[in-house]
Amino acid sequence: MIEVRPAWPPDAEAMATVQNAIHRAGLRATPVDTDGVRERHLDEVHSIACTVAVDDGRVVGFQSLKRAWIDNPYGVPVGWGIIGTHIHPDVGRRGIGRRLFVVAHAAAEAAGLRHIDATIRADNAPALAYYSSLGFVPYRQEPGSAVVPHRYDV
C-alpha cells in the first residue's frame, strides 16, 4: 500500500535516488545529489508543499509545489505555482502521481494560487502524458527550447 505524506529532511537521500533513477532512464537531463534535493525541495523558502509516496518503507516518488519568484529559472510569472513530479520508473503507471497531485492541488487552493506551471522536457513522453491527464495544457512556445511549459488553472 502506498502511503502519501509530507516530505521530511531525512527523505532527501531517497528523493535523490528517485531522481537519479529517472536520470538513468533518460527522462531527466542531469543527476542530483542529496544536498541539491534538500536545497531545492525541502529547504526552499518558496515551498508550498513537498509530498513523498512511500511503498513498504521506500520512497518511490515525490512532488513539490513552490510559489514562483522573481527571476525563477522557468520564467514562470510571479505568484504562480511551480510543480515538479518525480516517480521512480519501476513504479510508474500505478496512480502514484495522481495521489500526490491531490495533496498539491489542495495546497495550491489553500495558498490562493490561480495557476500552476509544469515545465516539462519535450522528450519526456510519460511526464507529458501525466500532466495532460491532470488537465495541464501547453501555454507558451519557446522556439528551439527542449521544454514545453504547461499550465493548470486551480
Side-chain angles (χ1 to χ4, degrees):
M1 180 72 168
I2 303 288
E3 172 193 4
V4 173
R5 63 163 171 79
W8 305 319
D11 293 323
E13 185 174 348
M15 293 163 68
T17 297
V18 168
Q19 285 191 306
N20 287 328
I22 295 166
H23 169 68
R24 285 190 302 279
L27 300 172
R28 179 178 175 79
T30 57
V32 300
D33 62 24
T34 301
D35 289 338
V37 167
R38 191 175 293 112
E39 178 183 315
R40 188 169 192 163
H41 301 290
L42 298 172
D43 296 336
E44 177 66 52
V45 307
H46 306 289
S47 181
I48 295 172
C50 187
T51 308
V52 293
V54 181
D55 187 13
D56 196 25
R58 174 180 163 236
V59 172
V60 294
F62 70 97
Q63 188 170 68
S64 65
L65 177 65
K66 302 178 248 189
R67 187 179 302 275
W69 60 96
I70 295 171
D71 295 328
N72 67 76
Y74 310 103
V76 175
V78 172
W80 281 36
I82 299 173
I83 198 166
T85 306
H86 314 276
I87 307 296
H88 195 291
D90 292 348
V91 298
R93 311 279 313 149
R94 290 180 43 194
I96 296 168
R98 285 191 175 279
R99 291 193 54 203
L100 291 169
F101 188 67
V102 167
V103 176
H105 189 273
E109 287 182 325
L113 296 181
R114 295 185 62 216
H115 309 288
I116 302 172
D117 170 274
T119 297
I120 309 160
R121 279 185 36 184
D123 63 351
N124 188 339
L128 292 167
Y130 163 72
Y131 283 109
S132 177
S133 75
L134 295 173
F136 283 77
V137 295
Y139 72 97
R140 69 176 193 235
Q141 297 288 330
E142 298 179 9
S145 177
V147 298
V148 181
H150 283 64
R151 181 190 77 227
Y152 178 85
D153 298 327
V154 180

